[in-house]
């Protein structure tokens, strides 16, 4: 693409040699915090007033199931593999 060519050519100049690496790092940063807010919302749905004593590992396991399974929870079937 044109942007890759631009940063590749600019990086060949000695005075701008570190600039492409910096831009690559900056362009990898998320533009918003929507994904983390989405996870916090899921956790609030898991840890309710009646389920405050859930262990961290249980919350992580339930959250993992929620994130990785797109269908309804009552149709989730865990794999038989351990690990």
């Amino acid at each position: 693409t044109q942007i890759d060519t631009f940063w590749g050519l600019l990086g060949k100049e000695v005075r701008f040699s570190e600039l492409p690496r910096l831009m690559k790092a900056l362009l990898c940063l998320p533009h918003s915090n929507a994904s983390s807010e989405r996870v916090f919302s899921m956790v609030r749905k898991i840890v309710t007033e009646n389920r405050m004593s859930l262990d961290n590992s249980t919350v992580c396991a339930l959250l993992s199931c929620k994130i990785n399974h797109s269908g309804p929870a009552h149709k989730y079937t865990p794999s038989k593999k351990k690990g």
Side-chain angles (χ1 to χ4, degrees), residues 53-83:
S53 61
L54 287 175
D55 188 60
N56 281 344
S57 62
T58 304
V59 174
C60 287
L62 290 169
L63 186 59
S64 178
C65 290
K66 179 69 176 163
I67 290 172
N68 295 314
H69 183 69
S70 60
H74 67 277
K75 291 187 176 183
Y76 177 74
T77 307
S79 65
K80 305 244 185 266
K81 288 189 213 176
K82 288 189 175 188

Side-chain angles (χ1 to χ4, degrees), residues 5-20:
T5 305
F6 171 76
W7 286 112
L9 291 173
L10 189 65
K12 289 180 181 177
E13 291 188 34
V14 175
R15 63 185 180 155
F16 299 121
S17 63
E18 294 297 315
L19 197 55

Side-chain angles (χ1 to χ4, degrees), residues 41-56:
S41 176
M42 283 188 236
V43 170
R44 279 193 298 272
K45 290 178 183 177
I46 292 171
V47 181
T48 63
E49 189 175 320
N50 295 330
R51 299 169 80 181
M52 293 296 281
S53 61
L54 287 175
D55 188 60
N56 281 344

Side-chain angles (χ1 to χ4, degrees), residues 20 25 27-28 36 40 42 44 71 75:
L27 291 171
C28 290
S36 57
F40 284 127
M42 283 188 236
R44 279 193 298 272
K75 291 187 176 183

